[in-house]
PDB file of all heavy atoms in Angstrom:
ATOM      1  N   GLU A   1      -8.447  -2.974   3.423  1.00 69.00           N
ATOM      2  CA  GLU A   1      -9.232  -4.095   3.059  1.00 69.00           C
ATOM      3  C   GLU A   1      -8.383  -5.072   2.194  1.00 69.00           C
ATOM      4  O   GLU A   1      -7.720  -4.654   1.203  1.00 69.00           O
ATOM      5  CB  GLU A   1     -10.442  -3.622   2.274  1.00 69.00           C
ATOM      6  CG  GLU A   1     -11.354  -2.764   3.116  1.00 69.00           C
ATOM      7  CD  GLU A   1     -12.480  -2.197   2.335  1.00 69.00           C
ATOM      8  OE1 GLU A   1     -12.699  -2.679   1.154  1.00 69.00           O
ATOM      9  OE2 GLU A   1     -13.183  -1.285   2.817  1.00 69.00           O
ATOM     10  N   PHE A   2      -8.480  -6.321   2.544  1.00 68.00           N
ATOM     11  CA  PHE A   2      -7.606  -7.321   1.857  1.00 68.00           C
ATOM     12  C   PHE A   2      -7.816  -7.393   0.327  1.00 68.00           C
ATOM     13  O   PHE A   2      -6.930  -7.542  -0.424  1.00 68.00           O
ATOM     14  CB  PHE A   2      -7.864  -8.703   2.439  1.00 68.00           C
ATOM     15  CG  PHE A   2      -7.105  -9.813   1.804  1.00 68.00           C
ATOM     16  CD1 PHE A   2      -5.759  -9.979   1.928  1.00 68.00           C
ATOM     17  CD2 PHE A   2      -7.837 -10.707   0.931  1.00 68.00           C
ATOM     18  CE1 PHE A   2      -5.122 -10.941   1.255  1.00 68.00           C
ATOM     19  CE2 PHE A   2      -7.167 -11.738   0.289  1.00 68.00           C
ATOM     20  CZ  PHE A   2      -5.775 -11.852   0.480  1.00 68.00           C
ATOM     21  N   GLU A   3      -9.121  -7.217  -0.048  1.00 75.00           N
ATOM     22  CA  GLU A   3      -9.417  -7.385  -1.492  1.00 75.00           C
ATOM     23  C   GLU A   3      -8.666  -6.382  -2.348  1.00 75.00           C
ATOM     24  O   GLU A   3      -8.224  -6.627  -3.465  1.00 75.00           O
ATOM     25  CB  GLU A   3     -10.911  -7.318  -1.770  1.00 75.00           C
ATOM     26  CG  GLU A   3     -11.524  -5.964  -1.407  1.00 75.00           C
ATOM     27  CD  GLU A   3     -13.032  -5.976  -1.513  1.00 75.00           C
ATOM     28  OE1 GLU A   3     -13.726  -6.418  -0.629  1.00 75.00           O
ATOM     29  OE2 GLU A   3     -13.523  -5.530  -2.620  1.00 75.00           O
ATOM     30  N   TYR A   4      -8.479  -5.124  -1.788  1.00 74.00           N
ATOM     31  CA  TYR A   4      -7.762  -4.125  -2.514  1.00 74.00           C
ATOM     32  C   TYR A   4      -6.272  -4.486  -2.570  1.00 74.00           C
ATOM     33  O   TYR A   4      -5.644  -4.384  -3.640  1.00 74.00           O
ATOM     34  CB  TYR A   4      -7.883  -2.778  -1.836  1.00 74.00           C
ATOM     35  CG  TYR A   4      -9.254  -2.208  -1.994  1.00 74.00           C
ATOM     36  CD1 TYR A   4     -10.045  -1.868  -0.873  1.00 74.00           C
ATOM     37  CD2 TYR A   4      -9.751  -1.852  -3.203  1.00 74.00           C
ATOM     38  CE1 TYR A   4     -11.325  -1.321  -1.021  1.00 74.00           C
ATOM     39  CE2 TYR A   4     -11.044  -1.302  -3.377  1.00 74.00           C
ATOM     40  CZ  TYR A   4     -11.804  -1.034  -2.285  1.00 74.00           C
ATOM     41  OH  TYR A   4     -13.048  -0.464  -2.381  1.00 74.00           O
ATOM     42  N   ALA A   5      -5.712  -4.914  -1.412  1.00 74.00           N
ATOM     43  CA  ALA A   5      -4.249  -5.275  -1.419  1.00 74.00           C
ATOM     44  C   ALA A   5      -4.053  -6.426  -2.384  1.00 74.00           C
ATOM     45  O   ALA A   5      -3.052  -6.497  -3.129  1.00 74.00           O
ATOM     46  CB  ALA A   5      -3.909  -5.662   0.000  1.00 74.00           C
ATOM     47  N   GLN A   6      -4.935  -7.457  -2.371  1.00 73.00           N
ATOM     48  CA  GLN A   6      -4.826  -8.571  -3.261  1.00 73.00           C
ATOM     49  C   GLN A   6      -4.827  -8.194  -4.706  1.00 73.00           C
ATOM     50  O   GLN A   6      -4.004  -8.690  -5.495  1.00 73.00           O
ATOM     51  CB  GLN A   6      -5.947  -9.582  -2.957  1.00 73.00           C
ATOM     52  CG  GLN A   6      -5.797 -10.874  -3.732  1.00 73.00           C
ATOM     53  CD  GLN A   6      -6.984 -11.868  -3.319  1.00 73.00           C
ATOM     54  OE1 GLN A   6      -8.084 -11.447  -3.312  1.00 73.00           O
ATOM     55  NE2 GLN A   6      -6.647 -13.108  -3.151  1.00 73.00           N
ATOM     56  N   LYS A   7      -5.754  -7.343  -5.050  1.00 78.00           N
ATOM     57  CA  LYS A   7      -5.851  -6.861  -6.442  1.00 78.00           C
ATOM     58  C   LYS A   7      -4.580  -6.073  -6.862  1.00 78.00           C
ATOM     59  O   LYS A   7      -4.034  -6.221  -7.946  1.00 78.00           O
ATOM     60  CB  LYS A   7      -7.088  -6.005  -6.682  1.00 78.00           C
ATOM     61  CG  LYS A   7      -7.231  -5.369  -8.076  1.00 78.00           C
ATOM     62  CD  LYS A   7      -7.480  -6.442  -9.084  1.00 78.00           C
ATOM     63  CE  LYS A   7      -7.830  -5.836 -10.432  1.00 78.00           C
ATOM     64  NZ  LYS A   7      -7.985  -6.854 -11.511  1.00 78.00           N
ATOM     65  N   ALA A   8      -4.137  -5.288  -5.857  1.00 79.00           N
ATOM     66  CA  ALA A   8      -2.920  -4.464  -6.147  1.00 79.00           C
ATOM     67  C   ALA A   8      -1.696  -5.365  -6.427  1.00 79.00           C
ATOM     68  O   ALA A   8      -0.928  -5.167  -7.339  1.00 79.00           O
ATOM     69  CB  ALA A   8      -2.643  -3.542  -4.955  1.00 79.00           C
ATOM     70  N   MET A   9      -1.612  -6.484  -5.621  1.00 75.00           N
ATOM     71  CA  MET A   9      -0.496  -7.374  -5.840  1.00 75.00           C
ATOM     72  C   MET A   9      -0.544  -8.051  -7.123  1.00 75.00           C
ATOM     73  O   MET A   9       0.460  -8.307  -7.817  1.00 75.00           O
ATOM     74  CB  MET A   9      -0.363  -8.419  -4.641  1.00 75.00           C
ATOM     75  CG  MET A   9      -0.121  -7.831  -3.312  1.00 75.00           C
ATOM     76  SD  MET A   9       1.404  -6.815  -3.205  1.00 75.00           S
ATOM     77  CE  MET A   9       0.719  -5.181  -2.919  1.00 75.00           C
ATOM     78  N   GLN A  10      -1.758  -8.373  -7.598  1.00 72.00           N
ATOM     79  CA  GLN A  10      -1.988  -9.007  -8.886  1.00 72.00           C
ATOM     80  C   GLN A  10      -1.510  -8.094 -10.042  1.00 72.00           C
ATOM     81  O   GLN A  10      -1.067  -8.552 -11.089  1.00 72.00           O
ATOM     82  CB  GLN A  10      -3.419  -9.422  -9.070  1.00 72.00           C
ATOM     83  CG  GLN A  10      -3.929 -10.584  -8.191  1.00 72.00           C
ATOM     84  CD  GLN A  10      -5.389 -10.786  -8.240  1.00 72.00           C
ATOM     85  OE1 GLN A  10      -6.094  -9.963  -8.824  1.00 72.00           O
ATOM     86  NE2 GLN A  10      -5.911 -11.842  -7.596  1.00 72.00           N
ATOM     87  N   LEU A  11      -1.591  -6.825  -9.817  1.00 78.00           N
ATOM     88  CA  LEU A  11      -1.229  -5.801 -10.811  1.00 78.00           C
ATOM     89  C   LEU A  11       0.222  -5.493 -10.720  1.00 78.00           C
ATOM     90  O   LEU A  11       0.747  -4.650 -11.469  1.00 78.00           O
ATOM     91  CB  LEU A  11      -2.046  -4.555 -10.632  1.00 78.00           C
ATOM     92  CG  LEU A  11      -3.512  -4.683 -11.079  1.00 78.00           C
ATOM     93  CD1 LEU A  11      -4.256  -3.401 -10.703  1.00 78.00           C
ATOM     94  CD2 LEU A  11      -3.691  -5.032 -12.564  1.00 78.00           C
ATOM     95  N   GLY A  12       0.992  -6.108  -9.786  1.00 76.00           N
ATOM     96  CA  GLY A  12       2.404  -5.869  -9.678  1.00 76.00           C
ATOM     97  C   GLY A  12       2.791  -4.684  -8.847  1.00 76.00           C
ATOM     98  O   GLY A  12       3.912  -4.172  -8.971  1.00 76.00           O
ATOM     99  N   VAL A  13       1.854  -4.173  -8.023  1.00 88.00           N
ATOM    100  CA  VAL A  13       2.150  -3.030  -7.191  1.00 88.00           C
ATOM    101  C   VAL A  13       3.184  -3.445  -6.191  1.00 88.00           C
ATOM    102  O   VAL A  13       3.148  -4.523  -5.611  1.00 88.00           O
ATOM    103  CB  VAL A  13       0.845  -2.559  -6.418  1.00 88.00           C
ATOM    104  CG1 VAL A  13       1.174  -1.535  -5.397  1.00 88.00           C
ATOM    105  CG2 VAL A  13      -0.145  -2.002  -7.431  1.00 88.00           C
ATOM    106  N   VAL A  14       4.249  -2.584  -5.990  1.00 88.00           N
ATOM    107  CA  VAL A  14       5.368  -2.973  -5.170  1.00 88.00           C
ATOM    108  C   VAL A  14       5.162  -2.654  -3.683  1.00 88.00           C
ATOM    109  O   VAL A  14       5.915  -3.133  -2.810  1.00 88.00           O
ATOM    110  CB  VAL A  14       6.711  -2.370  -5.742  1.00 88.00           C
ATOM    111  CG1 VAL A  14       6.978  -2.956  -7.064  1.00 88.00           C
ATOM    112  CG2 VAL A  14       6.660  -0.885  -5.639  1.00 88.00           C
ATOM    113  N   ASN A  15       4.202  -1.829  -3.363  1.00 89.00           N
ATOM    114  CA  ASN A  15       3.923  -1.462  -2.025  1.00 89.00           C
ATOM    115  C   ASN A  15       2.534  -0.932  -1.855  1.00 89.00           C
ATOM    116  O   ASN A  15       1.906  -0.429  -2.754  1.00 89.00           O
ATOM    117  CB  ASN A  15       4.969  -0.448  -1.463  1.00 89.00           C
ATOM    118  CG  ASN A  15       5.388  -0.736  -0.035  1.00 89.00           C
ATOM    119  OD1 ASN A  15       4.516  -1.108   0.792  1.00 89.00           O
ATOM    120  ND2 ASN A  15       6.659  -0.646   0.255  1.00 89.00           N
ATOM    121  N   TYR A  16       1.966  -1.117  -0.605  1.00 88.00           N
ATOM    122  CA  TYR A  16       0.663  -0.754  -0.284  1.00 88.00           C
ATOM    123  C   TYR A  16       0.677   0.022   0.997  1.00 88.00           C
ATOM    124  O   TYR A  16       0.911  -0.650   2.075  1.00 88.00           O
ATOM    125  CB  TYR A  16      -0.206  -2.021  -0.187  1.00 88.00           C
ATOM    126  CG  TYR A  16      -1.679  -1.829   0.048  1.00 88.00           C
ATOM    127  CD1 TYR A  16      -2.568  -1.809  -1.094  1.00 88.00           C
ATOM    128  CD2 TYR A  16      -2.210  -1.744   1.302  1.00 88.00           C
ATOM    129  CE1 TYR A  16      -3.927  -1.592  -0.840  1.00 88.00           C
ATOM    130  CE2 TYR A  16      -3.580  -1.637   1.561  1.00 88.00           C
ATOM    131  CZ  TYR A  16      -4.405  -1.546   0.439  1.00 88.00           C
ATOM    132  OH  TYR A  16      -5.801  -1.458   0.680  1.00 88.00           O
ATOM    133  N   LEU A  17       0.475   1.300   1.028  1.00 90.00           N
ATOM    134  CA  LEU A  17       0.547   2.091   2.316  1.00 90.00           C
ATOM    135  C   LEU A  17      -0.765   2.628   2.681  1.00 90.00           C
ATOM    136  O   LEU A  17      -1.594   3.033   1.863  1.00 90.00           O
ATOM    137  CB  LEU A  17       1.487   3.276   2.011  1.00 90.00           C
ATOM    138  CG  LEU A  17       2.948   2.921   1.589  1.00 90.00           C
ATOM    139  CD1 LEU A  17       3.764   4.209   1.323  1.00 90.00           C
ATOM    140  CD2 LEU A  17       3.695   2.132   2.625  1.00 90.00           C
ATOM    141  N   LEU A  18      -1.032   2.615   4.020  1.00 88.00           N
ATOM    142  CA  LEU A  18      -2.258   3.083   4.546  1.00 88.00           C
ATOM    143  C   LEU A  18      -2.149   4.503   5.045  1.00 88.00           C
ATOM    144  O   LEU A  18      -1.137   4.863   5.677  1.00 88.00           O
ATOM    145  CB  LEU A  18      -2.720   2.125   5.690  1.00 88.00           C
ATOM    146  CG  LEU A  18      -3.105   0.699   5.318  1.00 88.00           C
ATOM    147  CD1 LEU A  18      -3.461  -0.060   6.576  1.00 88.00           C
ATOM    148  CD2 LEU A  18      -4.292   0.697   4.338  1.00 88.00           C
ATOM    149  N   LYS A  19      -3.160   5.285   4.847  1.00 88.00           N
ATOM    150  CA  LYS A  19      -3.295   6.663   5.365  1.00 88.00           C
ATOM    151  C   LYS A  19      -3.560   6.600   6.865  1.00 88.00           C
ATOM    152  O   LYS A  19      -4.240   5.691   7.273  1.00 88.00           O
ATOM    153  CB  LYS A  19      -4.317   7.458   4.654  1.00 88.00           C
ATOM    154  CG  LYS A  19      -4.049   7.723   3.211  1.00 88.00           C
ATOM    155  CD  LYS A  19      -5.193   8.576   2.573  1.00 88.00           C
ATOM    156  CE  LYS A  19      -4.944   8.824   1.075  1.00 88.00           C
ATOM    157  NZ  LYS A  19      -6.085   9.595   0.488  1.00 88.00           N
ATOM    158  N   PRO A  20      -3.017   7.565   7.606  1.00 89.00           N
ATOM    159  CA  PRO A  20      -2.106   8.613   7.253  1.00 89.00           C
ATOM    160  C   PRO A  20      -0.709   8.005   7.016  1.00 89.00           C
ATOM    161  O   PRO A  20      -0.271   7.192   7.838  1.00 89.00           O
ATOM    162  CB  PRO A  20      -2.128   9.549   8.366  1.00 89.00           C
ATOM    163  CG  PRO A  20      -2.502   8.696   9.560  1.00 89.00           C
ATOM    164  CD  PRO A  20      -3.446   7.678   9.019  1.00 89.00           C
ATOM    165  N   VAL A  21      -0.081   8.478   5.971  1.00 92.00           N
ATOM    166  CA  VAL A  21       1.242   7.896   5.575  1.00 92.00           C
ATOM    167  C   VAL A  21       2.388   8.646   6.232  1.00 92.00           C
ATOM    168  O   VAL A  21       2.455   9.903   6.086  1.00 92.00           O
ATOM    169  CB  VAL A  21       1.427   7.938   4.032  1.00 92.00           C
ATOM    170  CG1 VAL A  21       2.791   7.356   3.650  1.00 92.00           C
ATOM    171  CG2 VAL A  21       0.318   7.134   3.366  1.00 92.00           C
ATOM    172  N   ASP A  22       3.176   7.962   6.966  1.00 92.00           N
ATOM    173  CA  ASP A  22       4.406   8.562   7.640  1.00 92.00           C
ATOM    174  C   ASP A  22       5.376   8.917   6.581  1.00 92.00           C
ATOM    175  O   ASP A  22       5.630   8.211   5.577  1.00 92.00           O
ATOM    176  CB  ASP A  22       5.000   7.519   8.583  1.00 92.00           C
ATOM    177  CG  ASP A  22       6.222   8.044   9.235  1.00 92.00           C
ATOM    178  OD1 ASP A  22       6.148   8.801  10.187  1.00 92.00           O
ATOM    179  OD2 ASP A  22       7.329   7.685   8.734  1.00 92.00           O
ATOM    180  N   LYS A  23       5.947  10.073   6.648  1.00 94.00           N
ATOM    181  CA  LYS A  23       6.907  10.603   5.607  1.00 94.00           C
ATOM    182  C   LYS A  23       8.027   9.654   5.418  1.00 94.00           C
ATOM    183  O   LYS A  23       8.482   9.364   4.277  1.00 94.00           O
ATOM    184  CB  LYS A  23       7.476  11.995   6.037  1.00 94.00           C
ATOM    185  CG  LYS A  23       6.444  13.125   6.002  1.00 94.00           C
ATOM    186  CD  LYS A  23       7.159  14.448   6.379  1.00 94.00           C
ATOM    187  CE  LYS A  23       6.088  15.552   6.348  1.00 94.00           C
ATOM    188  NZ  LYS A  23       6.700  16.839   6.752  1.00 94.00           N
ATOM    189  N   HIS A  24       8.584   9.086   6.490  1.00 95.00           N
ATOM    190  CA  HIS A  24       9.736   8.186   6.378  1.00 95.00           C
ATOM    191  C   HIS A  24       9.315   6.917   5.696  1.00 95.00           C
ATOM    192  O   HIS A  24      10.116   6.346   4.879  1.00 95.00           O
ATOM    193  CB  HIS A  24      10.352   7.866   7.790  1.00 95.00           C
ATOM    194  CG  HIS A  24      10.897   9.091   8.469  1.00 95.00           C
ATOM    195  ND1 HIS A  24      12.003   9.755   8.004  1.00 95.00           N
ATOM    196  CD2 HIS A  24      10.475   9.729   9.562  1.00 95.00           C
ATOM    197  CE1 HIS A  24      12.306  10.736   8.768  1.00 95.00           C
ATOM    198  NE2 HIS A  24      11.369  10.780   9.756  1.00 95.00           N
ATOM    199  N   LYS A  25       8.163   6.385   5.978  1.00 93.00           N
ATOM    200  CA  LYS A  25       7.634   5.157   5.286  1.00 93.00           C
ATOM    201  C   LYS A  25       7.470   5.447   3.869  1.00 93.00           C
ATOM    202  O   LYS A  25       7.666   4.534   2.984  1.00 93.00           O
ATOM    203  CB  LYS A  25       6.401   4.689   6.017  1.00 93.00           C
ATOM    204  CG  LYS A  25       6.606   4.048   7.340  1.00 93.00           C
ATOM    205  CD  LYS A  25       5.341   3.423   7.876  1.00 93.00           C
ATOM    206  CE  LYS A  25       5.586   2.736   9.135  1.00 93.00           C
ATOM    207  NZ  LYS A  25       4.316   2.127   9.744  1.00 93.00           N
ATOM    208  N   LEU A  26       6.966   6.633   3.487  1.00 95.00           N
ATOM    209  CA  LEU A  26       6.775   6.965   2.081  1.00 95.00           C
ATOM    210  C   LEU A  26       8.087   7.023   1.321  1.00 95.00           C
ATOM    211  O   LEU A  26       8.208   6.427   0.305  1.00 95.00           O
ATOM    212  CB  LEU A  26       6.150   8.327   1.978  1.00 95.00           C
ATOM    213  CG  LEU A  26       5.968   8.909   0.487  1.00 95.00           C
ATOM    214  CD1 LEU A  26       5.063   8.026  -0.378  1.00 95.00           C
ATOM    215  CD2 LEU A  26       5.508  10.413   0.568  1.00 95.00           C
ATOM    216  N   VAL A  27       9.143   7.601   1.904  1.00 96.00           N
ATOM    217  CA  VAL A  27      10.379   7.640   1.266  1.00 96.00           C
ATOM    218  C   VAL A  27      11.018   6.257   1.158  1.00 96.00           C
ATOM    219  O   VAL A  27      11.620   5.916   0.094  1.00 96.00           O
ATOM    220  CB  VAL A  27      11.367   8.590   2.151  1.00 96.00           C
ATOM    221  CG1 VAL A  27      12.816   8.421   1.582  1.00 96.00           C
ATOM    222  CG2 VAL A  27      10.879  10.035   1.927  1.00 96.00           C
ATOM    223  N   GLN A  28      10.841   5.446   2.194  1.00 94.00           N
ATOM    224  CA  GLN A  28      11.404   4.085   2.122  1.00 94.00           C
ATOM    225  C   GLN A  28      10.686   3.267   1.031  1.00 94.00           C
ATOM    226  O   GLN A  28      11.421   2.516   0.245  1.00 94.00           O
ATOM    227  CB  GLN A  28      11.188   3.344   3.472  1.00 94.00           C
ATOM    228  CG  GLN A  28      12.138   3.846   4.618  1.00 94.00           C
ATOM    229  CD  GLN A  28      11.805   3.233   5.888  1.00 94.00           C
ATOM    230  OE1 GLN A  28      10.805   2.482   6.044  1.00 94.00           O
ATOM    231  NE2 GLN A  28      12.641   3.435   6.884  1.00 94.00           N
ATOM    232  N   ALA A  29       9.380   3.498   0.925  1.00 93.00           N
ATOM    233  CA  ALA A  29       8.669   2.733  -0.131  1.00 93.00           C
ATOM    234  C   ALA A  29       9.075   3.178  -1.523  1.00 93.00           C
ATOM    235  O   ALA A  29       9.190   2.352  -2.416  1.00 93.00           O
ATOM    236  CB  ALA A  29       7.117   2.965   0.019  1.00 93.00           C
TER     237      ALA A  29
END
């Protein structure tokens, strides 16, 4: 949902991953 991602960016979150999270994407993030 966009509103969550938007709020996260406002708080300075550096990445936003959706479940199920791939192991390689987690490590890259």
Side-chain angles (χ1 to χ4, degrees):
E1 298 176 12
F2 175 72
E3 62 185 84
Y4 287 120
Q6 186 180 44
K7 178 64 173 177
M9 294 306 112
Q10 289 172 351
L11 290 173
V13 172
V14 297
N15 218 319
Y16 183 94
L17 302 177
L18 293 176
K19 294 180 180 178
V21 179
D22 178 80
K23 291 182 180 180
H24 296 295
K25 287 186 177 180
L26 174 64
V27 168
Q28 287 176 351

